[in-house]
Amino acid sequence: MLVPTLLFFLINSYIPMVGIYFAFTRFDFNGGLFGSQFIGLENFSFLWKSGKLVELTLNTIGYNLAFIFFKNILAILFAVLLSEIHGKWFKKITQSVLFLPYFVSFVLLSAISYNMFNYETGFVNTMLKSFDIAPVNFYNTPWIWIFLLIAFYLWKQIGYSMVIYLASITGISDEYYEAARIDGATILQRIRYITIPMLMPAFFLLLLFSIGSIMKGQFDLFYQLIGNNGLLFSTTDIIDTYVFRSLKETFDIGMATAAGLYQSLFGFILILTVNYLIKKSNEDYALF
Amino acid sequence: MNTRKSEKSVIFTFSAYTLVTIASLICLIPFLLILSGSLTSNESIIRDGYRLFPKEFSSAAYKAIFAAPSPIVRAYGVTTFVTIVGTAIGLFLMTMAGYVLQRKDFRYRNRCMFFIYFTTLFSGGLVPWYIMMTSYLNLTDTYTALIFPGLMSPFLIILMRSFIRTTIPDEIVESAKIDGANDFRIYYQVVVPLAMPGIATVGLFLALGYWNGWFHSSLFINDPHKYELQYYLYNIINTMSFLADLGASTGVTVAVDIPMESTKLAMALIVTGPILLLYPFVQRFFVKGLTVGAVKG
């Protein structure tokens, strides 16, 4: 019963690992896998010398750290707030509304972004104009996108993490709160000393899952919002978008494979390190 | 939780309600913007820009789309087909895998789990995978290329495994075995019915992934007749040529008769519509399944 699943991962994940070999060749479409000329580490050294690798790595890691940090803080905040709200209808409706963006596609997100931020007709610029403030050309101002991308990410993802935290809070036994109340704890003290510590296991689980993908951060988000707008690459190009463009547009197969391999290796080491550190501080939270 | 009500909590409650309300509005406003934009006349958009409420109401965009609905109907068809087939196959395989992987008497359990989990730690990267799919498996322009890659994910398998482990006691499986049921029979007569909430959750994840997918279309599909819905929308938003096609088939000139700006948004709404309509029903399952499956990882 397990065989189809193992086969799936063999075909979909393990066999392509052989193709890592492309990273060490000058790829030739006629030659195929072993017909291309072997050039050793030349692809890597080119990536390194062009400065691309540093920029891509900084962007990829920077964005993902920001995503993880803000997402967890806000998700915990809203989960705690919602769990303390007693209005049943209010709670139900707001919870649904906060979860709603998770269900829309990234393509719709790019439509929303266009609607809000394009220069001539965007909602934000329309507002600015009505207050007699000069409109901003978002689509050629790189630094703004650092904030916009984080904001869009949070908009889409907070509801999902919030539900997981909310579920963990519901799982906390009422007896703790009962006891705390008898001891005269205020609402903030109960949150501080019961809810937050009880959320830690869920937090570490989510954290480990997100650390695992820190090097493959959110391709859909970046590609749909930025696309091929070269003006913005300095602050918005991540490894995934670079690899995708090298594959689809410039056909730099060797280079793209090299960047992809670098991404995999770096991510691999990152996960092992983080898992090791977590295991050292608390055995239970580690993933393996 | 109604039992714990604090006396000094008025300020806290007030700020909780306020913050949650603000956040909810932020979540809703983009949808309102899209709706409003799609119902505004094109001239008004170009002159006044997008607004929260239409300044000059017009349904021209929807008329333009429904005048020649065939491309969008076809894209709907492709996406629906891919979603249904992919979800069904993926669920079937993952429930089986989840069932086997949680059995304590399965000796290679941990080794198999690692085999699956390892793929999230390390991969060959996009390019080798792309080359394998196109030049070795020849999947360009096939529906298989849209369905196959999304069938399973380690995360969903883990979710399924812990769901089965927590909801189905070993004793039930044990007693079924004593009654003479073989593994397959236990699987479809005991495990599947009992794991329904988990299956619904994983199924929703899968279906959502397929429904919102555009990436595999963009990699593997060259034939516009096989575009998925989201990729079709992507092209509408990003290239005018699609609108020109739309114009040509209705016999109108693009610049004049097709309201570009509002059509993009109308199309976005039409594509998103089913999710927005299904959402209230689907959400409950999602929350329930996540509650059981994810809390104890």
Side-chain angles (χ1 to χ4, degrees), chain A residues 4-17, chain B residues 115 119 122-126 128-130 132-133 137 139 144-145 147-154 216 220:
Chain A
T5 304
L6 298 182
L7 269 180
F8 171 85
F9 284 102
L10 185 69
I11 296 173
N12 206 38
S13 306
Y14 285 94
I15 295 181
M17 288 183 198
Chain B
F115 182 82
T119 59
F122 188 79
S123 73
L126 175 70
W129 179 73
Y130 174 80
M132 180 198 69
M133 293 282 284
L137 300 176
L139 290 179
T144 316
I147 294 173
F148 176 75
L151 278 180
M152 288 185 246
S153 83
H216 298 127
F220 301 119

Side-chain angles (χ1 to χ4, degrees), chain B residues 169-188:
Chain B
D170 283 341
E171 290 78 28
I172 294 186
V173 175
E174 230 20 80
S175 69
K177 208 172 245 173
I178 293 169
D179 289 344
N182 65 21
D183 279 337
F184 282 97
R185 187 143 174 186
I186 293 174
Y187 163 70
Y188 73 83

Side-chain angles (χ1 to χ4, degrees), chain B residues 19-283:
Chain B
L19 274 175
V20 171
T21 309
I22 293 174
S24 307
L25 284 179
I26 293 176
C27 285
L28 278 181
I29 284 174
F31 294 101
L32 191 58
L33 278 173
I34 297 267
L35 178 67
S36 146
S38 75
L39 287 171
T40 310
S41 79
N42 210 46
E43 301 79 57
S44 167
I45 292 179
I46 291 166
R47 194 166 5 95
D48 314 316
Y50 288 117
R51 292 162 173 278
L52 214 43
F53 299 100
K55 207 172 185 187
E56 279 172 30
F57 183 84
S58 151
S59 57
Y62 291 95
K63 279 185 192 136
I65 293 171
F66 286 114
S70 71
I72 193 145
V73 169
R74 198 161 41 217
Y76 250 105
V78 173
T79 296
T80 311
F81 173 76
V82 166
T83 304
I84 291 175
V85 174
T87 308
I89 300 177
L91 270 182
F92 177 62
L93 297 180
M94 282 198 289
T95 45
M96 286 204 299
Y99 168 59
V100 177
L101 287 169
Q102 61 86 40
R103 288 270 299 260
K104 291 189 185 67
D105 53 350
F106 176 51
R107 266 187 42 217
Y108 304 105
R109 190 173 47 142
N110 285 331
R111 240 173 272 177
C112 289
M113 204 54 237
F114 186 76
F115 182 82
I116 293 167
Y117 182 71
F118 184 72
T119 59
T120 65
L121 300 179
F122 188 79
S123 73
L126 175 70
V127 179
W129 179 73
Y130 174 80
I131 290 173
M132 180 198 69
M133 293 282 284
T134 51
S135 10
Y136 291 93
L137 300 176
N138 291 318
L139 290 179
T140 309
D141 274 338
T142 62
Y143 291 121
T144 316
L146 297 178
I147 294 173
F148 176 75
L151 278 180
M152 288 185 246
S153 83
F155 171 70
L156 291 181
I157 291 179
I158 292 174
L159 197 69
M160 187 68 99
R161 186 192 62 157
S162 26
F163 193 89
I164 294 177
R165 185 190 285 158
T166 43
T167 50
I168 302 174
D170 283 341
E171 290 78 28
I172 294 186
V173 175
E174 230 20 80
S175 69
K177 208 172 245 173
I178 293 169
D179 289 344
N182 65 21
D183 279 337
F184 282 97
R185 187 143 174 186
I186 293 174
Y187 163 70
Y188 73 83
Q189 283 198 326
V190 177
V191 175
V192 170
L194 283 175
M196 264 312 164
I199 294 177
T201 311
V202 173
L204 286 171
F205 266 114
L206 272 180
L208 192 64
Y210 279 117
W211 188 271
N212 283 342
W214 60 274
F215 183 57
H216 298 127
S217 276
S218 95
L219 275 181
F220 301 119
I221 306 295
N222 301 319
D223 172 6
H225 289 194
K226 290 178 181 166
Y227 280 173
E228 287 173 298
L229 205 48
Q230 302 292 340
Y231 192 58
Y232 181 74
L233 173 64
Y234 171 78
N235 279 308
I236 295 248
I237 294 174
N238 289 287
T239 57
M240 295 298 171
S241 69
F242 262 71
L243 284 174
D245 287 346
L246 199 66
S249 54
T250 34
V252 289
T253 15
V254 182
V256 188
D257 291 321
I258 296 270
M260 299 269 201
E261 295 294 331
S262 44
T263 301
K264 284 181 191 175
L265 299 186
M267 202 63 103
L269 263 194
I270 291 174
V271 164
T272 313
I275 290 202
L276 295 183
L277 293 179
L278 279 176
Y279 175 67
F281 307 100
V282 163
Q283 196 231 157

Side-chain angles (χ1 to χ4, degrees), chain A residues 92 96-97 99-100 103, chain B residues 197 200-201 204 273-289:
Chain A
K92 237 181 200 160
S96 303
V97 168
F99 199 12
L100 179 64
F103 286 79
Chain B
T201 311
L204 286 171
I275 290 202
L276 295 183
L277 293 179
L278 279 176
Y279 175 67
F281 307 100
V282 163
Q283 196 231 157
R284 222 164 28 116
F285 274 104
F286 228 84
V287 172
K288 202 182 270 169

